[in-house]
Amino acid sequence: MTEAFIPPAKPIIGDEERAAVDRVLRSGMIAQGPEVAAFEQEFAEHFKLGRACVAVNSGTSGLHLGLLSNGIGAGDEVIVPSFTFAATANSVALTGATPVFADIALDDFTLDPASVEASITERTKAIMPVHLYGHPAKMEQLCAIADKHGLLLFEDAAQAHGASLHGTPVGAFGAFAMFSLYPTKNMTSGEGGMVSCADETIARNVRLYRNQGMLQQYHNEVVGLNNRMTDIHAAIGRVQLTKVDAWTKTRQDNAAFLSANLEGVIVPAVAEGAVHVYHQYTVRVAEDRDGLAKALKEEYNIGSGMFYPVPNHRLKPFQSPVELPGTEQAARECLSLPVHPSLSQGDLERIVAAVTALAKAGA
Ligand SMILES: Cc1ncc(COP(=O)(O)O)c(C=O)c1O
């Protein structure tokens, strides 16, 4: 095997990020401070959210605090997809509420509105779709269901910086939305999360919960946590904000090339009116997905990912008897191919040739 390994993801950190970190370290002020405040404002403006953003130390914290800030707690149910990273359901469970798993639609791997409506009980308080892989969830139908039943709507936008639906950016639909800033996401702050808040009361609550329940030192208003972002992380995030649009464009171009040329797999669809930002480029492999992924690595030196092979409703902490056929099929068939902005044209051609050859050979 002579060709270089193509990794499934590759965080990009440049001289500007290094200089920004150095600037903060030299300032002597490294915990939450002016860099965090500037990052919050710039993030809201950049993604045209038109609302307050509050930075925290991870996407998971962002979900947790967003839920707490909307009064979610013991006795409540929140409808979530099972086909997502466990952080979605974990954050609900950590508030004391119960995550209720609804099915996804296979066209875009996001919540199926019919399954959501069928999952509503008298304890349901909210619906929390995930904009999985960077494709917006079916927000128009989900907002209508939430309105009809008097439910809150939240957004897990961990993977969807810059995605939109009919011109509305994800992160501007729900009472709150969370963007993850983990290194493999479309932009990073090292670790971190950004909470977009529909109103000032929610934003204030998130600020309280992230800082031991205080806005003013030693005037604690509620029981809170330390989920603060540091100025070091915010400084990285501020630089990445200036680069994320170009990276997203490259992801979209890479995805267009893959979709135009791959054969033997089901390529991702984009809904009418949706802007997909391709955090992942996920195909469906009807026969022997695992064999294809193994051969891609061993025979062609190409990495890939399975997000997510075990649906949340079957994970040990959640074991739920619900039947979710779309979720089960996606978990069996999904395969995420490299789409990140560091791919060369040669890499893309290698991916197309290898996947097409393996798919046609039945892996
Ligand atoms: C869909 C989804 N939700 C939540 C999270 C949690 O974000 P973080 O890793 O920043 O805590 C992630 C990140 O992997 C995610 O992909």
Side-chain angles (χ1 to χ4, degrees), residues 58-60 63 84-85 87-88 130 156 158-159 178 180 185 192 308:
S58 74
T60 308
L63 289 177
T84 175
F85 187 52
T88 313
V130 178
D156 182 336
Q159 307 183 355
M178 175 284 288
S180 167
K185 295 297 190 285
Y308 299 88

Side-chain angles (χ1 to χ4, degrees), residues 326-347:
T327 296
E328 297 290 357
Q329 188 175 342
R332 240 182 1 255
E333 297 184 351
C334 67
L335 186 69
S336 297
L337 303 173
V339 74
H340 54 82
S342 302
L343 296 175
S344 66
Q345 182 60 28
D347 292 337

Side-chain angles (χ1 to χ4, degrees), residues 45-207:
E45 282 166 11
H46 186 89
F47 293 113
K48 301 184 172 54
L49 296 172
R51 33 163 81 188
C53 281
V54 183
V56 290
N57 60 346
S58 74
T60 308
S61 303
L63 289 177
H64 185 207
L65 301 197
L67 291 159
L68 290 175
S69 296
N70 279 278
I72 301 298
D76 297 336
E77 292 179 352
V78 179
I79 299 174
V80 293
S82 172
F83 191 64
T84 175
F85 187 52
T88 313
N90 277 342
S91 59
V92 173
L94 281 171
T95 68
T98 304
V100 171
F101 298 105
D103 209 356
I104 55 158
L106 283 170
D107 58 348
D108 61 6
F109 302 100
T110 72
L111 272 180
D112 173 4
S115 176
V116 168
E117 198 153 26
S119 306
I120 294 172
T121 72
E122 69 280 0
R123 289 169 62 186
T124 307
K125 282 281 157 42
I127 307 167
M128 186 157 73
V130 178
H131 305 298
L132 200 71
Y133 306 143
H135 189 287
K138 300 178 194 309
M139 296 311 288
E140 281 134 7
Q141 295 97 309
L142 294 175
C143 287
I145 292 171
D147 277 354
K148 181 172 148 197
H149 295 273
L151 304 175
L152 292 164
L153 190 97
F154 309 138
E155 297 171 75
D156 182 336
Q159 307 183 355
H161 316 64
S164 63
L165 189 60
H166 293 123
T168 302
V170 307
F173 287 94
F176 86 89
M178 175 284 288
F179 296 87
S180 167
L181 297 163
Y182 183 75
T184 57
K185 295 297 190 285
N186 288 22
M187 61 172 285
T188 184
S189 59
E191 287 267 12
M194 193 63 84
V195 188
S196 156
C197 305
D199 63 43
E200 192 43 43
T201 307
I202 297 168
R204 187 176 193 279
N205 285 342
V206 177
R207 290 186 197 111

Side-chain angles (χ1 to χ4, degrees), residues 42-43 56 68 141 156 205 214 218 232 250 254 256 259 266 274:
E42 288 163 9
F43 192 98
V56 290
L68 290 175
Q141 295 97 309
D156 182 336
N205 285 342
M214 306 182 287
Y218 309 129
I232 303 169
T250 307
N254 291 346
S259 289
I266 300 172

Side-chain angles (χ1 to χ4, degrees), residues 2 11 18 41 52 70 79 127 152 167 180 196 199 201 210 225 238 242 271 292 295 309 349-350 352:
T2 51
R18 277 186 281 276
Q41 185 147 3
N70 279 278
I79 299 174
I127 307 167
L152 292 164
S180 167
S196 156
D199 63 43
T201 307
R210 82 172 161 184
L225 293 147
R238 292 181 72 194
T242 67
L292 194 148
E349 284 165 14
R350 268 178 65 196
V352 166

